[in-house]
Amino acid sequence: MTPLLPSPDHYLHNLITMTSSEAKRLHRRAIKEHFNCQCVYCGITYEPDELTLDHVRPRCYGGPTLTSNLVPSCKKCNQAKGSNNWLQWMRQTFGPTSREQLILQHIN
Ligand SMILES: [Zn+2]
């Protein structure tokens, strides 16, 4: 398991890696592993390479690229959610699910 740290820079500061591209790769992998390689929105399990990372609070609204704002998402969900409010979009698309709690715990 890759340790789950708050940002790519933490992998450098903790000397887990020496290069920033490797730090970004580890950061992305740790988030996917933390969620057992499941898309947090639809709940389907994917290969790590098939998952993207979604900014829960969209980048265009100032959402940071930090662990606390990133969740694994399949390409389909990531695209469909776009810059919508994640909870509104999720409820409209899937109805209420226990996955909402997973996301809330992660972002708070
Ligand atoms: Zn999905």
Side-chain angles (χ1 to χ4, degrees):
M1 286 284 275
T2 313
L4 185 65
L5 301 176
S7 77
D9 283 350
H10 285 74
Y11 292 87
L12 294 169
H13 296 156
N14 288 285
L15 304 179
I16 292 169
T17 181
M18 303 305 276
T19 66
S20 66
S21 63
E22 176 72 356
K24 282 180 193 153
R25 197 180 70 78
L26 290 176
H27 182 231
R28 298 173 65 81
R29 193 170 75 190
I31 295 168
K32 292 173 187 177
E33 286 178 358
H34 179 72
F35 287 92
N36 299 313
C37 292
Q38 264 186 5
C39 169
V40 288
Y41 298 122
C42 66
I44 296 173
T45 303
Y46 288 88
E47 291 298 319
D49 291 347
E50 294 174 326
L51 285 166
T52 62
L53 290 181
D54 182 54
H55 287 72
V56 179
R57 183 176 177 215
R59 259 184 298 196
C60 59
Y61 296 130
T65 302
L66 294 174
T67 301
S68 57
N69 191 46
L70 292 169
V71 291
S73 166
C74 68
K75 289 172 188 139
K76 201 175 148 194
C77 288
N78 199 333
Q79 204 165 31
K81 174 183 165 269
S83 56
N84 291 302
N85 174 282
W86 70 272
L87 189 54
Q88 272 177 12
W89 174 80
M90 218 176 153
R91 290 243 171 113
Q92 278 166 9
T93 310
F94 303 108
T97 71
S98 58
R99 295 189 301 279
E100 290 175 10
Q101 289 307 314
L102 282 180
I103 299 173
L104 283 168
Q105 278 169 17
H106 185 71
I107 63 178
N108 284 312

